Amino acid sequence: MCGIMGYVGDREATSILLDGLRRLEYRGYDSAGISTLDSNRKIHVVKDVGKVEQLAQKAELSGLRGIAGLAHTRWATHGGVTMLNAHPHLSCNREVTIVHNGIIENYLELRRDLDAKGHLFVSDTDSEVIAHLVEAVYRNKKDVLPALTDVVRQLKGAYAFAAILADAPNVMVGARQDAPLVVGLGNGENFLASDALAFIGHTDRVIFLDNRELVLLTEKNVTIYDFEGNVKQKPATQIAWELGSVSRREFEHYTLKEIHEQKETVLQALRQDPRSVDVFVDALERAGKVYITGCGTSFHAALLAKLLFTTYAKIPVEVLLSSEFDQYEELLDKKALLIAVSQSGETADVLSAVKAARKMGVKVCSIVNAMGSTLVRESECTLLNNCGPEIGVAATKSFTSQLMIFNMLALRLGQREAELSDLWSTGRLVEKTLGLDAQIQEIADRLHVANDFYFVGRSLHHPLALEGALKLKELSYIHAEGMAAGELKHGSLALISEGVPVVVLNPEDGTYGDTLSNASEVKARGGRIIGVSTKPSKVYDEYIEIPVAAPNIYPVLEAVPLQMLAYYAAVSRQQNPDYPRNLAKSVTVK
Ligand code: F6R
């Protein structure tokens, strides 16, 4: 979590960094700050608690001069949300400024040593220790690279940091260990960031750093080293993400824009390099056993994948929560294939599961949105979501892309040619479903005052019930639970009283009749039924009509009204759906 960015070049750094911070804000929005090094070798810092826009309003920002600088947007881990804990941090003599993403596990030990040497700490963060450590080591070595290799030798934990030293003007340094860091190669200027999105408006040529790599950047040169200080040659990659796709266009929020983009992104997910699909399918066919892992929304996609693989390809699958993976790692079948699903490709729980699986000799393939992310590099094969950057903190279009890819794999393995070609109709069906926007806004306007919501569905609709509840909680802060429709009567029915909203996912497929009976049981106890279906029923107090489709496509269509319901409930409750409280998009801590 936290977004970091650095710039060194021939232009004033502040506005470039501020623009980058706006694009990195999805990574955390507790506080934000910028530091620059001016032509008199003085480091200046401006920071504030709250979002980037709050920082942008600060008058001091316009006086922040320098052609090298750092920027940070924070998701607090060590130390509360305060001005002093905001980054960038300074060493006590203001000789070093740093920004950091991740956790320094041995910071207390390092801080004690530095305290004893007279360093004065002003924050409660683990990060500040890096600034003091760089200062202390550089004072002895007087050379940036040996100082940096010494610093990373002493740091333990998962981190990416960037630093600027007053004594080494117009040199920026960076280090990566288990947290993302990408170099952007410009013309007479270079960039460093947690995500290429930060600088994509300036260059699309990037180098993805790997673990245990350091980088020294000047306006003209970029040199990469390993943690021992040996030079490494790494090729640059051209990335394809369009600048236009990170603007909100005519939409009020990124979340709404991303919901609407799904009419195209569901098809983008199908446009895969055929060789990559062959490799993935081959891995599935050869696997003695298939596990799928993920967190949150990606976990819900994995649950749906299990049903698709079982139904259409007759391949049994076990789904394991990445955050619980430790419990199973000893039991893994060595001939297995692990499919890791992640929008960001940087989720610490997922990466840790992948590491454990690889250690046990299990082959890992992944389904990822962020190209160049750690998960892609840790996998033997990958299919990319191809849905473009997802800025809204809640996963929307990346979820339906994951569902499309799993659909494609299951149908291909099961040689279900007719259903496979029918997948291409999903774009049109999603477009039709997007027409529900005004109706759902109106339902959310009426029901956003509810204290609790329930979401139910059977079979393929069960993971969607879980997802609908997660989305509503996350965006609107209304308590919500998702469950298998048949489970209601085993306990949760006790919670239903007059007017409690229950969303019933019930298009006409094999589960229709049973689910409708469960809906009637809820209605008989006073529940307010919101039916998402292809067929009206007097059981439904609100009827949300989705188009008729093949059963495997229904989950994709259901996702759309569920996302809209959560979005509009948040808006009705005057919450910003793009930045839910306490959350961040990329969860890089375990
Ligand atoms: C919910 C949401 C999270 C993520 C989860 C995994 O809307 O976005 O639950 O799905 O943190 O993230 P990725 O997919 O990036 O591994």
Side-chain angles (χ1 to χ4, degrees):
M1 345 270 271
C2 300
I4 67 176
M5 182 178 181
Y7 171 81
V8 56
D10 55 2
R11 294 189 282 163
E12 285 295 331
T14 303
S15 63
I16 296 169
L17 292 169
L18 189 63
D19 185 45
L21 278 189
R22 290 191 172 106
R23 292 159 188 273
L24 287 179
E25 195 159 31
Y26 72 88
R27 301 181 66 86
Y29 30 88
D30 289 333
S31 60
I34 293 179
S35 60
T36 54
L37 178 69
D38 74 13
S39 50
N40 299 318
R41 297 193 179 189
K42 275 211 160 61
I43 294 174
H44 305 271
V45 181
V46 178
K47 51 191 181 179
D48 207 349
V49 292
K51 299 184 64 215
V52 173
E53 256 346 281
Q54 224 152 302
L55 176 75
Q57 300 307 320
K58 293 201 93 159
E60 302 101 284
L61 209 61
S62 55
L64 207 57
R65 295 268 165 262
I67 52 172
L70 303 176
H72 188 271
T73 177
R74 180 169 188 244
W75 186 80
T77 56
H78 290 60
V81 179
T82 64
M83 183 80 136
L84 285 177
N85 290 338
H87 298 220
H89 289 290
L90 285 165
S91 61
C92 30
N93 291 337
R94 300 183 75 94
E95 287 171 5
V96 177
T97 175
I98 68 102
V99 286
H100 162 232
N101 167 33
I103 288 176
I104 305 299
E105 283 164 11
N106 60 335
Y107 82 103
L108 285 174
E109 200 181 309
L110 291 169
R111 188 168 169 151
R112 258 196 310 274
D113 286 354
L114 289 157
D115 264 336
K117 287 180 187 144
H119 285 261
L120 289 176
F121 284 78
V122 296
S123 78
D124 304 320
T125 63
D126 54 337
S127 313
E128 191 187 348
V129 84
I130 304 174
H132 294 275
L133 192 60
V134 172
E135 184 180 79
V137 174
Y138 182 76
R139 225 178 261 159
N140 285 334
K141 310 248 178 204
K142 287 281 171 221
D143 195 347
V144 177
L145 183 64
L148 201 58
T149 54
D150 196 350
V151 166
V152 293
R153 195 181 45 76
Q154 296 190 53
L155 296 177
K156 290 198 174 71
Y159 58 81
F161 73 82
I164 288 178
L165 291 77
D167 202 40
N170 306 332
V171 177
M172 179 168 55
V173 303
R176 177 203 153 117
Q177 173 63 52
D178 284 329
L181 200 56
V182 191
V183 174
L185 304 169
N187 212 344
E189 57 186 4
N190 288 306
F191 308 81
L192 199 54
S194 305
D195 185 331
L197 263 185
F199 51 70
I200 188 89
H202 306 284
T203 179
D204 59 0
R205 286 199 326 124
V206 306
I207 300 176
F208 294 102
L209 293 190
D210 283 307
N211 280 342
R212 299 181 60 79
E213 284 183 348
L214 306 172
V215 61
L216 259 61
L217 306 98
T218 64
E219 60 178 279
K220 297 243 165 62
N221 292 309
V222 170
T223 317
I224 294 164
Y225 305 87
D226 63 19
F227 269 17
E228 282 69 48
N230 306 305
V231 176
K232 288 185 82 174
Q233 301 299 339
K234 295 193 68 155
T237 310
Q238 183 133 15
I239 53 169
W241 286 358
E242 300 297 331
L243 179 60
S245 63
V246 295
S247 91
R248 277 195 279 111
R249 301 211 315 262
E250 72 276 21
F251 295 97
E252 201 177 332
H253 296 103
Y254 284 112
T255 307
L256 188 61
K257 175 198 158 215
E258 287 159 6
I259 291 171
H260 278 264
E261 280 174 351
Q262 291 176 110
K263 58 180 184 289
E264 287 122 21
T265 55
V266 290
L267 300 184
Q268 287 291 100
L270 299 177
R271 292 192 185 107
Q272 298 287 339
D273 170 3
R275 280 164 310 181
S276 306
V277 179
D278 288 346
V279 171
F280 216 110
V281 166
D282 188 55
L284 275 158
E285 277 171 344
R286 285 169 189 266
K289 184 163 178 91
V290 177
Y291 301 104
I292 311 184
T293 194
C295 300
T297 294
S298 296
F299 175 71
H300 297 155
L303 290 177
L304 187 85
K306 177 186 165 92
L307 294 162
L308 293 172
F309 281 126
T310 318
T311 312
Y312 294 99
K314 309 290 177 227
I315 292 182
V317 167
E318 218 173 307
V319 178
L320 305 173
L321 265 174
S322 304
S323 55
E324 289 289 313
F325 205 82
D326 312 2
Q327 316 307 314
Y328 310 103
E329 98 194 26
E330 297 291 316
L331 307 172
L332 293 181
D333 181 333
K334 290 190 179 40
K335 294 206 182 76
L337 169 72
L338 175 71
I339 303 180
V341 198
S342 172
Q343 185 285 130
S344 61
E346 299 293 350
T347 303
D349 289 321
V350 178
L351 294 176
S352 153
V354 163
K355 209 179 208 171
R358 287 181 62 176
K359 210 166 94 198
M360 298 295 290
V362 170
K363 185 178 172 120
V364 175
C365 289
S366 57
I367 295 178
V368 186
N369 191 35
M371 169 190 11
S373 59
T374 308
L375 182 55
V376 173
R377 279 170 297 130
E378 297 282 319
S379 308
E380 285 179 51
C381 58
T382 298
L383 292 176
L384 292 170
N385 287 6
N386 295 332
C387 67
E390 190 176 64
I391 307 291
V393 164
T396 53
K397 60 178 179 171
S398 63
F399 175 62
T400 47
S401 299
Q402 291 164 348
L403 300 191
M404 292 304 287
I405 293 174
F406 278 127
N407 251 304
M408 178 184 67
L409 291 171
L411 296 172
R412 163 95 193 254
L413 281 158
Q415 298 178 340
R416 307 283 288 248
E417 297 307 327
E419 284 106 329
L420 204 52
S421 65
D422 196 33
L423 281 182
W424 291 96
S425 66
T426 314
R428 180 179 46 78
L429 296 169
V430 167
E431 186 165 15
K432 213 163 163 197
T433 314
L434 286 166
L436 292 166
D437 193 289
Q439 185 200 355
I440 296 195
Q441 183 170 9
E442 201 237 315
I443 295 175
D445 268 355
R446 267 185 287 118
L447 297 184
H448 75 271
V449 287
N451 291 322
D452 309 285
F453 256 78
Y454 297 89
F455 293 76
V456 299
R458 284 169 179 260
S459 182
L460 295 176
H461 314 292
H462 175 212
L464 268 291
L466 301 178
E467 176 59 9
L470 176 65
K471 217 86 304 172
L472 189 71
K473 281 189 274 203
E474 183 183 15
L475 294 190
S476 72
Y477 318 149
I478 299 173
H479 167 254
E481 270 185 63
M483 66 194 81
E487 282 299 294
L488 264 172
K489 58 186 178 298
H490 295 294
S492 305
L493 203 55
L495 296 168
I496 304 299
S497 58
E498 201 57 38
V500 171
V502 180
V503 178
V504 178
L505 301 174
N506 197 25
E508 283 176 287
D509 61 10
T511 65
Y512 179 80
D514 286 341
T515 305
L516 196 64
S517 302
N518 298 137
S520 306
E521 290 151 17
V522 174
K523 195 175 171 77
R525 273 104 189 148
R528 183 170 186 83
I529 310 292
I530 302 147
V532 179
S533 185
T534 45
K535 185 177 175 186
S537 161
K538 58 181 179 359
V539 178
Y540 306 144
D541 298 289
E542 314 273 356
Y543 172 51
I544 297 174
E545 182 168 6
I546 58 169
V548 173
N552 56 304
I553 295 178
Y554 280 136
V556 179
L557 303 184
E558 286 164 350
V560 174
L562 296 178
Q563 293 163 353
M564 283 177 172
L565 183 65
Y567 170 81
Y568 282 116
V571 171
S572 299
R573 288 167 76 108
Q574 296 180 342
Q575 305 299 338
N576 184 338
D578 283 347
Y579 302 107
R581 71 181 172 211
N582 306 338
L583 301 180
K585 184 127 191 101
S586 209
V587 187
T588 55
V589 289
K590 270 187 87 176

